[in-house]
Amino acid sequence: MPKLKEKYIKEVIPHMKEKFGYKNNLAIPKLEKVVVNVGFNRDISGDKNKIATIENNLARIVGQKPVRTKAKQAISAFKIRQGMVIGMMVTLRGKRMYDFVDKLINATIPCFRDFRGLSQQSVDKNGNLTIGIKEHLVFPEIKVDEVEFIHGLEVIIQTTAKTREEGYALLKGLGFPFKSDANQRE
């Protein structure tokens, strides 16, 4: 069993029962899935070598082959044609999801430049967390001397929470480093 799942069972479930008054363990919010996205600009979408490099980087980061997302319709202002590859995404569930979130909390987020905590505004009204990462170099799987170019990615952590407060309490209990309320106002 992943370390983060054990923490959820032993620490988060009793804390959430006490705080929100749940009577049943199945009513307590939990992690549902993690989606990792990379979007391309038009310079990258035409270059097959850059697309292959990003696909390889994303596969090393998450441990699963990404799916190429294609444009559903043409947008002439952005020089995008229907069927053109405009990004990649990976959906993680189960053991891979818990391993990735554990790595994100303990190894990746502390490597962010000038990091002072995640904003509480990153948690939406349904309790889901969205993190934008400017450089893929913060992941331990990426070797800096092998990097051809730097790209960003987006990590969306979806929970079964019904409200922002429940989602925030779940994510805080799992170990996500949020800014304190005093630092949030500054």
Side-chain angles (χ1 to χ4, degrees), residues 152-180:
L153 48 99
E154 179 183 50
V155 178
I156 302 162
I157 299 165
Q158 188 172 342
T159 66
T160 58
K162 302 275 190 273
T163 64
R164 172 180 274 153
E165 292 75 27
E166 290 176 350
Y168 177 75
L170 169 67
L171 296 167
K172 185 83 172 164
L174 288 174
F176 279 94
F178 286 100
K179 293 179 185 174
S180 66

Side-chain angles (χ1 to χ4, degrees), residues 26-177:
L26 299 177
I28 298 171
K30 62 183 178 200
L31 295 181
E32 188 172 4
K33 67 181 177 180
V34 173
V35 180
V36 182
N37 297 325
V38 177
F40 302 155
N41 58 18
R42 69 173 169 246
D43 296 335
I44 294 176
S45 21
D47 190 354
K48 294 186 188 260
N49 291 333
K50 287 187 177 180
I51 291 175
T53 302
I54 292 173
E55 186 173 25
N56 185 24
N57 288 340
L58 198 55
R60 277 199 282 171
I61 289 170
V62 298
Q64 184 174 311
K65 186 177 183 214
V67 175
R68 294 180 180 199
T69 54
K70 297 182 178 181
K72 292 181 182 174
Q73 62 185 19
I75 304 172
S76 62
F78 297 114
K79 297 184 181 176
I80 294 175
R81 304 291 167 248
Q82 186 175 2
M84 188 179 204
V85 177
I86 57 171
M88 290 189 187
M89 66 172 278
V90 178
T91 303
L92 301 171
R93 290 185 172 90
K95 183 180 181 319
R96 282 192 181 153
M97 172 187 67
Y98 281 107
D99 290 340
F100 179 78
V101 171
D102 189 30
K103 176 179 65 172
L104 188 70
I105 293 169
N106 297 318
T108 305
I109 291 179
C111 293
F112 287 178
R113 185 178 303 163
D114 298 331
F115 183 69
R116 293 195 178 100
L118 296 172
S119 172
Q120 293 176 12
Q121 304 304 318
S122 299
V123 180
D124 67 6
K125 66 179 181 173
N126 296 326
N128 305 321
L129 176 67
T130 304
I131 303 170
I133 301 173
K134 293 181 182 175
E135 298 178 346
H136 71 289
L137 301 175
V138 295
F139 287 94
E141 294 85 5
I142 304 297
K143 295 182 176 84
V144 179
D145 49 332
E146 295 178 1
V147 173
E148 296 175 24
F149 63 97
I150 297 172
H151 62 83
L153 48 99
E154 179 183 50
V155 178
I156 302 162
I157 299 165
Q158 188 172 342
T159 66
T160 58
K162 302 275 190 273
T163 64
R164 172 180 274 153
E165 292 75 27
E166 290 176 350
Y168 177 75
L170 169 67
L171 296 167
K172 185 83 172 164
L174 288 174
F176 279 94

